[in-house]
Amino acid sequence: MQLTRPDLARVLERSLAARPVADVGWLAAPPPRARVLRERMDLEPGASLTSTADALFGWAVHRGAGLTIAPTGPVDVGVTVVQAVHVGPLWFTAPCRVVDVVRETDEAGFTYATLPHHPETGVESFRVRRAGEGLVFEIHAVARHDFWGSRAVPPAAHRVQDRVTRGYLDAARELSRAARPGTR
């Protein structure tokens, strides 16, 4: 947490050697006191799974949610990303590592796990799936408060997490509009 915009390149460099502090298994079996978040939203009718997935893998959903990000590359297993969110006068950085990637005919997405110095300890999964004639965007997150401030005031931490999640959903909807054939 800091009052000035963080130097994401420096935070990224510091995070490269770090190991995730949560396991992808948390999605199936959340640990005690973890907050489980599941969101699902229908995407724009006629959206292309390939184009929507390409936007997701290029971090467009995260940028569209209003996060400032510094990834080591497009989404792939082992890629490290540092995200920064501005809350009132404060900036928070959130380093993560991609631990799982799915790219199949009817589903595409990834999961990342938090690294040390993230305000939460947990994992978050982002998926685009075919559902009937359309596509859905799904977010599944499991996290515990790691930062003293979020442990002291959990409702405030939940509001920030909910705001970012709503941003992901809104960005995915907008990107799916752009991913319709004939809209490029």
Side-chain angles (χ1 to χ4, degrees):
M1 167 180 69
Q2 60 190 67
L3 290 172
T4 59
R5 185 181 179 121
D7 179 348
L8 293 186
R10 196 171 94 211
V11 177
L12 181 63
E13 183 67 31
R14 185 180 68 216
S15 299
L16 290 175
R19 297 186 61 178
V21 292
D23 183 270
V24 72
W26 283 25
L27 293 172
R33 298 180 320 280
R35 182 180 192 218
V36 177
L37 184 143
R38 284 185 179 270
E39 294 289 339
R40 177 184 167 110
M41 180 183 67
D42 292 331
L43 295 179
E44 192 70 23
S48 159
L49 177 75
T50 301
S51 296
T52 305
D54 287 348
L56 178 64
F57 288 136
W59 301 105
V61 169
H62 290 68
R63 286 186 181 97
L67 299 176
T68 303
I69 68 164
T72 57
V75 169
D76 200 1
V77 173
V79 165
T80 300
V81 61
V82 175
Q83 305 162 87
V85 63
H86 196 211
V87 180
L90 303 174
W91 284 88
F92 294 87
T93 56
C96 298
R97 172 117 354 97
V98 177
V99 294
D100 180 55
V101 173
V102 173
R103 219 185 232 282
E104 298 176 357
T105 304
D106 293 329
E107 174 184 358
F110 69 95
T111 302
Y112 55 44
T114 58
L115 296 173
H117 308 291
H118 190 293
E120 306 287 326
T121 296
V123 292
E124 191 161 21
S125 173
F126 304 88
R127 295 284 191 269
V128 178
R129 301 179 198 270
R130 289 195 201 286
E133 296 297 313
L135 298 177
V136 296
F137 180 64
E138 299 173 336
I139 299 171
H140 182 190
V142 176
R144 293 189 303 213
H145 303 306
D146 198 29
F147 170 62
W148 65 266
S150 57
R151 285 194 309 265
V153 190
H158 292 166
R159 279 195 300 278
V160 172
Q161 184 181 33
D162 292 345
R163 182 187 97 192
V164 171
T165 299
R166 175 59 41 207
Y168 292 146
L169 294 168
D170 292 344
R173 181 183 302 113
E174 289 303 313
L175 291 165
S176 73
R177 284 189 182 124
R180 292 182 311 205
T183 57
R184 291 192 174 226

